[in-house]
Amino acid sequence: MTNPGGQVLCTESYGSRNAQHYQSLPDGRLICVSDRPEGQGYRSVRDIFMSVFLPQGYPESVSPDYLAYQIWDTVQAFASSITGTLATQAVLKGVGVGDETSTVTAATVTWILKDGTGMLGRILFAWSKGSKLDCDAKQWRLFADVLNDVAILMEILAPAFPAGFTFIVCLSGFFKCIVGVAGGATRAALTMHQARRDNMADVSAKDGSQETLVNLAGLLFSLLLIPLVAENLHLTYAFYGLFTVMHLYANYRAVRAVCMETLNRARLRLLFRHFLERAEVPGPAVANPQEPLLLGFHEPLKMILGAPLHSVASSVTDFQKVLEGNTTNYLIFFNHSEGTVSILLHRQADSVDMIKACTHALLLEFLLCWELPARFLDKPSAMDLRCRLREEPNKKDCAVLPETHQLLDRIFPKFLTGLRAAGWVTDRNLLGPEEWRVDWTTAGKKNL
């Protein structure tokens, strides 16, 4: 629309899209003049596509890493759809579809056992690992996709082992249900990270629409693929290998694209080590690419955050020794012989207290296991503390903990300021504390 030369009354825009102006005409009418360039038809199709498959208000309504993650997630979903089709064909062939000697009863029993085993796996996995999925969402997401590929491979190979076919498909079903729990839970955690306007439902719904579109494309491709591989095992294995490599690579790139601003233990360890070595805290964009993506990465000291009192103190003396002079909302117990740091949290402990407690544990780990940076080598207190920590490996070394408190009190305020300045969220965390809380009141001390 051309500008008729009226007076501009106001300007409006829909999210980040081109602005349009409202003008008044001499006769009092109000008209809208758009800044949208030529190519109206193409822009309208693009707008329709965005409204159907992207959250309202995109890109401002989602995290900056949303697009990169969704692109790679789309690629992996397409590859998974193809390998899933190959597995379905193999399972149907294994239960007797197309075989005149097979019975419906035998096929039904096999399918029921497969589903039942999967349901059991879903319950057991959610019980054992459900509380850990939020803390390491990227790692569990990658684990789920690797396990999914293993389950699909088992289903493709199952018909080659008739005697063990039922066992193989049941084990595959068990794995796939674990994948369902881990994948669904981590998807929810990533959706929470991506939603920036309290629009989790919208982001999740549009993610579902994207996945449905990709699965539809995979279905159409499968219709062309299945006739080619129906009687050719070598071709089936070749396509499985090709799309599995694509699936794993796309998943790796997808989780690497995620840039979380909340602290989990792996990211906190990276940040604290960088701070001790260089006296600065890197931002999320620098630290996230360095985060390990494999589960069970080596921890020099095992950290138990929110441990119960009975697991660390068997006598009043042990408890009073740690409690004496303590001004924090946590108590820390170090057992060198077992390689564990147990942290008791006060009922009033907040997110910053938990971050400080974990940083205290990492300080012990730093003194025991890492090489001291050059700027620490000329500090006798740090060197002496390190030597004393290493001298008594066969008992709970509580006597030196007040000195580590003093060292931490000099370090942590600068570290916390650096975290906030670098863009890290500190009012909540993903450090995975247990639920035990202790209240060491003054009255309680007198009754000991």
Side-chain angles (χ1 to χ4, degrees):
M1 179 181 294
T2 60
N3 190 333
Q7 180 184 0
V8 176
L9 297 179
C10 62
T11 302
E12 71 175 358
S13 62
Y14 188 84
S16 59
R17 302 185 191 181
N18 293 323
Q20 56 189 20
H21 313 284
Y22 286 89
Q23 299 180 353
S24 64
L25 295 180
D27 59 3
R29 286 186 297 132
L30 183 68
I31 64 168
C32 176
V33 180
S34 176
D35 285 344
R36 178 170 294 181
E38 296 298 325
Q40 181 76 23
Y42 168 76
R43 299 290 294 187
S44 296
V45 171
R46 177 176 178 273
D47 290 347
I48 292 174
F49 181 86
M50 290 179 63
S51 65
V52 172
F53 294 104
L54 295 175
Q56 181 175 317
Y58 172 86
E60 289 84 0
S61 62
V62 293
S63 60
D65 57 12
Y66 178 84
L67 182 60
Y69 173 81
Q70 292 301 131
I71 289 174
W72 288 110
D73 189 53
T74 297
V75 175
Q76 71 85 19
F78 178 79
S80 181
S81 176
I82 302 302
T83 55
T85 299
L86 297 175
T88 300
Q89 181 198 31
V91 171
L92 290 176
K93 182 178 180 180
V95 297
V97 174
D99 186 354
E100 296 180 355
T101 62
S102 299
T103 65
V104 174
T105 301
T108 303
V109 169
T110 299
W111 210 269
I112 291 174
L113 289 174
K114 175 178 178 292
D115 288 347
T117 306
M119 294 174 186
L120 181 62
R122 182 182 294 113
I123 295 172
L124 292 176
F125 182 76
W127 166 61
S128 63
K129 299 296 183 182
S131 61
K132 306 298 181 184
L133 299 178
D134 282 303
C135 301
D136 300 304
K138 292 191 283 186
Q139 290 86 341
W140 281 110
R141 178 60 190 270
L142 191 60
F143 165 83
D145 288 301
V146 172
L147 188 61
N148 183 63
D149 289 332
V150 172
I152 289 175
L153 178 61
M154 293 174 64
E155 291 181 347
I156 292 176
L157 295 176
F161 303 92
F165 177 82
T166 300
F167 173 77
I168 293 174
V169 296
C170 286
L171 186 59
S172 172
F174 185 88
F175 288 165
K176 280 194 169 184
C177 282
I178 292 177
V179 171
V181 174
T186 55
R187 183 180 294 274
L190 294 176
T191 299
M192 181 181 297
H193 157 69
Q194 292 171 339
R196 295 303 167 94
R197 290 183 179 173
D198 294 325
N199 56 339
M200 277 190 60
D202 186 29
V203 174
S204 179
K206 297 302 171 58
D207 182 71
S209 296
Q210 296 168 23
E211 186 171 356
T212 301
L213 181 64
V214 173
N215 288 336
L216 179 60
L219 179 63
L220 296 176
F221 185 83
S222 298
L223 291 176
L224 301 176
L225 182 65
I226 290 301
L228 299 178
V229 302
E231 302 298 332
N232 191 330
L233 281 178
H234 295 292
L235 196 57
T236 298
Y237 298 151
F239 274 112
Y240 168 79
L242 173 64
F243 284 102
T244 296
V245 170
M246 180 190 299
H247 180 244
L248 293 176
Y249 178 72
N251 270 293
Y252 173 80
R253 292 297 301 270
V255 294
R256 270 294 179 222
V258 176
C259 185
M260 307 283 279
E261 298 94 357
T262 45
L263 296 169
N264 65 1
R265 298 188 186 188
R267 290 190 284 273
L268 183 61
R269 177 179 280 103
L270 284 170
L271 297 174
F272 187 58
R273 184 165 188 170
H274 191 281
F275 175 77
L276 292 177
E277 292 174 347
R278 304 184 186 181
E280 62 180 10
V281 178
V286 176
N288 272 270
Q290 302 176 38
E291 182 181 359
L293 294 181
L294 296 179
L295 290 169
F297 63 91
H298 178 63
E299 293 181 324
L301 292 180
K302 181 182 178 182
M303 185 193 311
I304 306 173
L305 182 61
L309 177 60
H310 65 78
S311 69
V312 294
S314 57
S315 67
V316 175
T317 303
D318 288 342
F319 182 55
Q320 288 181 327
K321 199 171 188 179
V322 178
L323 196 61
E324 184 178 356
N326 181 73
T327 59
T328 65
N329 280 334
Y330 67 90
L331 300 176
I332 186 164
F333 290 78
F334 171 50
N335 189 320
H336 194 161
S337 61
E338 296 180 2
T340 60
V341 178
S342 300
I343 300 169
L344 276 64
L345 295 174
H346 194 275
R347 289 186 183 276
Q348 298 178 354
D350 58 16
S351 178
V352 172
D353 292 322
M354 293 180 191
I355 293 173
K356 184 176 182 179
C358 289
T359 304
H360 197 157
L362 291 174
L363 179 62
L364 292 174
E365 180 182 297
F366 164 74
L367 291 170
L368 283 166
C369 308
W370 301 350
E371 292 299 325
L372 285 171
R375 64 193 186 92
F376 278 85
L377 295 178
D378 59 350
K379 295 183 178 180
S381 59
M383 295 295 294
D384 178 64
L385 184 55
R386 179 175 188 168
C387 293
R388 293 177 60 190
L389 280 170
R390 292 181 170 184
E391 281 175 357
E392 303 178 14
N394 297 318
K395 69 176 185 177
K396 291 181 180 177
D397 203 349
C398 299
V400 299
L401 291 182
E403 299 178 44
T404 63
H405 272 288
Q406 296 170 12
L407 180 59
L408 183 69
D409 287 340
R410 295 198 300 269
I411 295 174
F412 186 74
K414 296 180 181 178
F415 180 55
L416 182 62
T417 300
L419 287 174
R420 290 169 173 167
W424 293 97
V425 175
T426 58
D427 59 354
R428 65 180 189 280
N429 63 72
L430 297 172
L431 297 171
E434 300 293 338
E435 293 301 316
W436 293 101
R437 297 294 182 272
V438 187
D439 188 0
W440 50 85
T441 61
T442 303
K445 295 178 192 176
K446 294 178 179 178
N447 291 333
L448 289 174

